[in-house]
Amino acid sequence: MKVNEEEYKNVLSIYRVPVSELRSEFDANHFSFQTTDDLEHVSNEMIGQKRAEKAMEFGLSVEQTGYNLFVVGTAGTGRLTYTLDSVTKQAKERAVPKDICYVYNFENPDMPLVIDFPAGTGQKFQQEIEILLIDIERQIRSTFSSEVFEKDKRKIIEDFRARVEAIWQETDEFALQQHMKVERTPEGIELVPLFNGRPLAVEEFEKLSETDKEMMKNCEKIVGQKIDETVYQSLKIEELLKKKVNQFMMEVAANSIKDLFSPFRDKYQENKKVIEYLESYFHDVVSHYTFFLDTNNNGQENIMKALMGGSNEHFHHRYTVNLFVNNKNLAGAPVIYETNPTYYNLFGKVEYQGSLGSWTTNFTLIKPGALHLANGGYLILQATELLQQPQVWMRLKMALQTGSIQIENLNEMNGVIPSNGNRPEPIPLNLKVIIIGSYYLYDFLSAYDEDFHKLFKVKVEFVAIMKKDQENSWKLARFVKNYVDKEGLLPFHRRAIAKVIDYGSRLVEEQSKLSTDFQEITKVLVESSYWAKLEHESVVDDRHVEKALSEKAHRSNHIVEQYREMIRNGTIMLETDGYRIGQINGLAVMGTRDSIFGIPTKITAQTYVGKNGIMNIEREAMLSGQIHNKGMMILTGFLSGEFAKNRPIPLSASITFEQTYNSIDGDSASSTELYVLLSSLAEVPIYQGIAVTGSVNQWGEIQPIGGVNEKIEGFYHICKSRALTGKQGVIIPKQNIQNLMLETEVVEAIKEGHFHIWAVSHIAEGIEILTGVDAGNIRNEKGQYPEGTIFAKVENRFTKMFEMANKLKN
């Protein structure tokens, strides 16, 4: 039943959205200042994140293990800045952690030992040990070069020489008794036969009788045995001499340096590990005193020793201290933000040095990682970078679970370089780890890592939306003030800040809310200042913000301009005037990396007798997503529930988005598809100057959608390019009125009556606007729809289809 023109105007008026609700503009007069120069600087002020602030405060305050933090939210919301500020503030109130040193393990050299010291004293200990080593070397050399030492050493040697001479004297006497003389020469020992007390020449020996000769040979044999015994005793005495001299020299070394250790024993008597280390240090120096006397090697020998890793300098490493973590300059607990969390950057490593084609190392080459530097404080990591590093996440969990850090080289584990068995003593771990990441990574870790919630019990969530109230508006103004001063931008007038606030509402598509994406807001601040400077202005005003926003949109709207051009020249077939049955203009949004825009698309439907139901051509072509498929099934549910209560619907229908070749998903066009189906079934034309968006449920109720501003503006610009008729407009869900933050140009066109926005809550309301025909969706007492209405026409069409199907069946 076609309504008359007055009734139709009344229908349009009822559902038309008032101009006052198309856009929410902040009143600059709410601010008492003129420009940001009038505002005071307020540092570290968080905007619109009270929940995150409380969670952060709680997480940083709890001391128990497992209460590490995961800061989640979208980039640009200030999560990193606030995290750094909060952690730094908390760290100042905590004690400075101890210094950590690695020292040589004299009992097990492959396992360097850890000793900790009060903050700032680790370096003093290192210097004291360096000075101690110098004093030890000087004292030993001085003592071993003294006359007293030489005299005592000579006496020991002479005593042993006297013992040797005594046994040789005895041997000489024994030989004489056997008519033999012992002659000791550098070439060896010789025996000379004696005859009548004088040496017997060879010629004389030959003249002796056989009996005498035999007797002489027996004497020589007996004396030889005596000499062998004497040589053996001499060697034993010489060995005893070496031991005696070595023992003497060790005693001398010990006595010469023992007073050097006394101050250390007194100073560090409360530190058991230091005392144990000093005792081992002392005994090792005494045992290896010769290394402090090795000054007589020639140059070539020293070079070869150095190349082979055996020089005294290399040996002296064992008597030094590796100041592993030095907290001398800290004023509180450490805060480390590791931007490149590789394995070695986090867990430290043992470095190697090349030597004649091989790799060598020692405990002084153990280097700390971020975990060591942050120990006793806070370590901040980015989840994306962290999870990209091999083995890092698993090792981080292991460190947090065990409460210790074990330094291991991946290259050794992977066999790239041979392992020297150097395994430093683990360091106790006590710190809070704060990971910053996206919702996706938080959900991923929650779902696939059972240890995640045991170790990261505090979720600090930064929301992307905040209330548009007086408090947050003032905070945003102070944020602009701080950023302007920091970056050296021109001061902003309060009118300009009001435009920035409006832009914040546009970003979240909600009139009563503001965006917390400060990264996007700062872009506008920088660009607005640029345009103001270009005009030689001293203050940024509202027109400069508008200029920045328009230029920003222009830089990234190349694709949408091409699309609109194709519509204007007819490449993409789209009508913005006239009436068509089974044709309607739907609205969708497309996006690039830096821009989102709305595009109108023609949706068509054909209906006919059959049993196939509604065929989604996009689904058949595998261009339809799951949500879009669901929306199509809802249409079947609505039609069946409304028109098939007493008989089946012998319907076959096809619906498609014309001239679309990309994947389609979402249900924001489901109401549009229902309108075009009703048009085709009722054979009532739809006015093509009205585009539609909105999803629908099985009861015909219209549901809200996203991207409403871009969709409206996209259709407006198409209509404008073909000349506005005053009848064109867009139908949106009623719930989306609160999301309207339309461009000023669109609002002005609507205000002048050149364009319109209608908001509906049911499919019946929208079909009346589109067709100018009563929907008639309420049955009378006989269960019939009012004659001539859309629903009556649809039911009549279904009745004819049912009758035709029965005829074909018979």
Side-chain angles (χ1 to χ4, degrees):
M1 182 169 58
K2 188 78 173 180
V3 299
N4 60 47
E5 188 172 342
E6 284 300 319
E7 290 177 343
Y8 183 57
K9 287 182 179 181
N10 186 48
V11 169
L12 297 179
S13 176
I14 291 173
Y15 300 112
R16 184 178 290 114
V17 179
V19 175
S20 61
E21 297 184 22
L22 298 177
R23 178 182 177 86
S24 173
E25 294 193 346
F26 186 82
D27 186 358
N29 292 322
H30 286 319
F31 293 134
S32 57
F33 61 89
Q34 288 298 314
T35 72
T36 51
D37 283 346
D38 301 330
L39 290 172
E40 293 183 0
H41 179 85
V42 179
S43 60
N44 303 330
E45 184 176 39
M46 200 60 203
I47 309 175
Q49 303 289 356
K50 291 184 178 180
R51 182 184 288 105
E53 291 181 68
K54 289 183 179 180
M56 181 71 73
E57 180 182 0
F58 168 76
L60 295 179
S61 300
V62 177
E63 298 292 339
Q64 281 68 30
T65 58
Y67 281 84
N68 299 294
L69 294 80
F70 196 104
V71 180
V72 64
T74 56
T77 54
R79 54 186 184 168
L80 174 59
T81 302
Y82 182 71
T83 298
L84 288 170
D85 290 343
S86 299
V87 171
T88 302
K89 180 180 178 181
Q90 183 78 9
K92 291 179 180 178
E93 300 177 0
R94 295 188 59 183
V96 180
K98 292 183 177 181
D99 294 340
I100 299 175
C101 295
Y102 268 112
V103 297
Y104 188 79
N105 187 341
F106 296 100
E107 295 182 2
N108 190 350
D110 290 338
M111 296 187 66
L113 300 174
V114 172
I115 303 179
D116 56 44
F117 297 89
T121 61
Q123 188 177 42
K124 292 180 180 179
F125 181 74
Q126 182 189 45
Q127 294 170 349
E128 289 170 348
I129 295 299
E130 289 176 358
I131 295 172
L132 174 64
L133 179 61
I134 296 172
D135 290 343
I136 287 173
E137 188 167 13
R138 182 172 59 245
Q139 188 66 31
I140 289 178
R141 289 186 179 181
S142 174
T143 301
F144 278 58
S145 61
S146 67
E147 292 182 4
V148 174
F149 167 75
E150 290 296 336
K151 181 180 178 180
D152 292 341
K153 178 181 176 183
R154 194 180 308 115
K155 184 178 184 303
I156 295 172
I157 295 172
E158 287 175 352
D159 289 344
F160 275 86
R161 282 180 179 174
R163 291 175 60 184
V164 172
E165 288 300 323
I167 63 174
W168 276 109
Q169 181 70 32
E170 181 185 348
T171 302
D172 289 343
E173 293 175 356
F174 178 80
L176 289 174
Q177 293 175 2
Q178 301 298 323
H179 306 287
M180 303 293 290
K181 182 181 180 180
V182 179
E183 292 186 355
R184 286 174 284 166
T185 67
E187 288 77 17
I189 299 174
E190 293 184 4
L191 286 177
V192 179
L194 299 177
F195 186 76
N196 295 328
R198 63 179 180 80
L200 186 65
V202 176
E203 296 81 4
E204 293 175 322
F205 179 78
E206 292 297 333
K207 294 177 181 181
L208 295 175
S209 64
E210 292 299 325
T211 302
D212 291 337
K213 287 181 180 179
E214 188 65 29
M215 182 185 67
M216 294 291 284
K217 288 180 180 179
N218 289 334
C219 289
E220 183 178 6
K221 181 178 180 181
I222 293 171
V223 174
Q225 292 173 349
K226 179 65 174 177
I227 289 173
D228 290 342
E229 181 182 346
T230 301
V231 170
Y232 174 73
Q233 291 178 352
S234 298
L235 292 175
K236 287 184 65 176
I237 292 172
E238 185 178 351
E239 187 67 28
L240 290 173
L241 173 62
K242 290 180 180 179
K243 292 181 179 179
K244 180 67 175 179
V245 170
N246 185 59
Q247 182 65 32
F248 166 71
M249 295 183 76
M250 288 175 62
E251 290 175 358
V252 170
N255 290 330
S256 68
I257 66 172
K258 64 181 181 181
D259 291 339
L260 298 177
F261 284 83
S262 296
F264 290 91
R265 294 188 180 97
D266 295 337
K267 183 176 181 179
Y268 295 103
Q269 58 182 333
E270 301 298 328
N271 194 327
K272 182 180 178 181
K273 294 195 75 172
V274 174
I275 297 300
E276 291 175 351
Y277 167 67
L278 290 172
E279 289 299 319
S280 298
Y281 189 119
F282 173 81
H283 291 299
D284 193 76
V285 170
V286 171
S287 300
H288 297 90
Y289 66 89
T290 56
F291 284 95
F292 298 92
L293 303 174
D294 190 11
T295 59
N296 297 320
N297 289 339
N298 60 40
Q300 184 176 0
E301 288 176 340
N302 286 335
I303 292 173
M304 290 305 296
K305 272 194 169 187
L307 289 173
M308 297 301 293
S311 66
N312 285 1
E313 181 180 358
H314 178 81
F315 182 82
H316 285 171
H317 282 316
R318 67 199 289 154
Y319 303 120
T320 60
V321 173
N322 179 358
L323 181 56
F324 191 64
V325 176
N326 183 9
N327 292 320
K328 177 182 178 181
N329 298 321
L330 291 181
V335 178
I336 303 297
Y337 174 39
E338 180 54 63
T339 58
N340 185 27
T342 62
Y343 182 90
Y344 293 130
N345 285 353
L346 278 184
F347 304 105
K349 61 181 176 180
V350 180
E351 293 183 343
Y352 286 79
Q353 294 176 336
S355 177
L356 292 179
S358 63
W359 295 98
T360 61
T361 187
N362 59 70
F363 80 96
T364 65
L365 297 177
I366 304 172
K367 304 300 178 183
L371 277 171
H372 303 102
L373 299 176
N375 202 4
Y378 306 89
L379 175 62
I380 303 172
L381 303 168
Q382 291 283 357
T384 302
E385 286 75 15
L386 177 69
L387 296 176
Q388 288 176 345
Q389 302 296 332
Q391 300 190 33
V392 168
W393 174 248
M394 297 302 295
R395 284 301 307 274
L396 177 62
K397 288 198 307 175
M398 185 186 302
L400 294 175
Q401 288 168 337
T402 60
S404 65
I405 322 168
Q406 176 67 63
I407 299 177
E408 294 177 327
N409 274 11
L410 279 179
N411 288 333
E412 290 183 3
M413 296 164 61
N414 298 330
V416 177
I417 60 174
S419 172
N420 70 341
N422 203 331
R423 188 175 177 83
E425 181 184 358
I427 295 175
L429 182 66
N430 177 28
L431 84 168
K432 278 193 182 293
V433 178
I434 300 100
I435 296 180
I436 302 173
S438 64
Y439 286 100
Y440 170 77
L441 291 178
Y442 180 85
D443 293 340
F444 174 81
L445 291 172
S446 298
Y448 295 102
D449 193 330
E450 61 182 9
D451 299 321
F452 176 67
H453 284 294
K454 298 176 184 177
L455 298 174
F456 291 87
K457 296 180 179 178
V458 182
K459 178 183 180 183
V460 182
E461 184 174 3
F462 278 71
V463 295
I465 300 176
M466 61 181 172
K467 289 183 178 180
K468 186 179 180 180
D469 54 20
Q470 184 176 2
E471 178 185 356
N472 287 334
S473 298
W474 272 91
K475 284 184 176 181
L476 188 57
R478 288 193 290 269
F479 169 81
V480 174
K481 157 73 176 177
N482 295 346
Y483 189 82
V484 164
D485 292 347
K486 176 184 175 183
E487 299 296 327
L489 306 180
L490 292 177
F492 273 61
H493 195 278
R494 61 182 181 179
R495 291 189 295 267
I497 296 179
K499 290 298 180 183
V500 172
I501 292 175
D502 293 343
Y503 177 63
S505 294
R506 168 68 184 226
L507 285 174
V508 297
E509 291 194 331
E510 193 158 353
Q511 296 177 358
S512 61
K513 299 293 176 64
L514 290 173
S515 172
T516 59
D517 189 349
F518 299 108
Q519 183 174 339
E520 284 297 319
I521 291 174
T522 55
K523 290 181 185 178
V524 176
L525 299 181
V526 172
E527 294 171 25
S528 300
S529 179
Y530 168 81
W531 293 112
K533 286 181 180 178
L534 208 62
E535 295 180 6
H536 305 289
E537 297 286 350
S538 59
V539 175
V540 178
D541 212 333
D542 53 358
R543 71 179 186 277
H544 301 124
V545 177
E546 291 174 348
K547 174 72 172 176
L549 292 174
S550 64
E551 289 294 329
K552 180 175 179 291
H554 178 72
R555 289 194 301 270
S556 56
N557 69 350
H558 175 65
I559 294 177
V560 69
E561 285 186 353
Q562 285 185 318
Y563 189 87
R564 291 171 184 172
E565 177 63 27
M566 286 189 289
I567 291 177
R568 284 195 296 269
N569 62 29
T571 302
I572 296 178
M573 299 171 62
L574 190 80
E575 296 179 85
T576 57
D577 201 8
Y579 287 84
R580 293 287 184 272
I581 294 175
Q583 297 185 30
I584 194 172
N585 290 325
L587 296 172
V589 288
M590 291 182 63
T592 61
R593 195 174 292 241
D594 54 0
S595 177
I596 297 177
F597 49 87
I599 56 171
T601 302
K602 178 181 286 190
I603 301 174
T604 62
Q606 292 281 11
T607 54
Y608 40 89
V609 178
K611 298 180 180 179
N612 297 326
I614 302 173
M615 180 181 69
N616 177 8
I617 293 179
E618 270 67 37
R619 181 177 62 190
E620 299 301 318
M622 292 188 293
L623 292 175
S624 179
Q626 293 180 345
I627 298 177
H628 184 242
N629 291 337
K630 176 185 176 183
M632 295 296 292
M633 295 175 187
I634 289 174
L635 302 189
T636 301
F638 172 79
L639 292 176
S640 299
E642 192 71 32
F643 301 104
K645 295 187 177 187
N646 299 318
R647 65 184 187 320
I649 300 177
L651 172 67
S652 287
S654 62
I655 297 180
T656 188
F657 286 68
E658 301 289 356
Q659 292 183 284
T660 57
Y661 309 103
N662 297 320
S663 178
I664 296 173
D665 203 1
D667 64 348
S668 63
S670 59
S671 68
T672 314
E673 292 163 332
L674 183 52
Y675 288 133
V676 76
L677 269 176
L678 293 175
S679 168
S680 178
L681 288 167
E683 297 180 329
V684 174
I686 289 175
Y687 177 56
Q688 301 299 293
I690 299 177
V692 180
T693 184
S695 70
V696 68
N697 63 23
Q698 291 188 106
W699 297 95
E701 296 169 330
I702 305 299
Q703 301 171 142
I705 44 81
V708 63
N709 293 294
E710 289 81 4
K711 291 175 179 179
I712 292 171
E713 291 162 359
F715 190 65
Y716 165 79
H717 286 293
I718 294 298
C719 294
K720 178 187 173 184
S721 66
R722 292 181 171 180
L724 296 170
T725 63
K727 298 191 297 180
Q728 297 151 330
V730 176
I731 297 176
I732 66 171
K734 191 174 183 178
Q735 301 95 316
N736 281 122
I737 293 177
Q738 63 181 345
N739 305 119
L740 293 176
M741 282 297 295
L742 295 172
E743 296 172 352
T744 304
E745 178 186 346
V746 180
V747 174
E748 287 299 319
I750 295 173
K751 185 177 181 180
E752 296 295 327
H754 303 314
F755 198 74
H756 308 278
I757 307 296
W758 297 280
V760 299
S761 58
H762 193 273
I763 201 75
E765 299 167 357
I767 198 68
E768 290 184 357
I769 297 172
L770 289 166
T771 62
V773 178
D774 283 342
N777 59 309
I778 299 177
R779 298 177 183 270
N780 57 27
E781 61 277 5
K782 296 181 180 180
Q784 298 174 338
Y785 294 115
E787 187 65 29
T789 62
I790 296 290
F791 277 61
K793 292 177 180 292
V794 171
E795 185 157 79
N796 291 337
R797 177 77 184 279
F798 279 140
T799 299
K800 293 178 182 179
M801 287 181 173
F802 181 74
E803 292 172 353
M804 180 63 69
N806 286 336
K807 287 181 180 180
L808 293 174
K809 187 185 298 184
N810 297 329

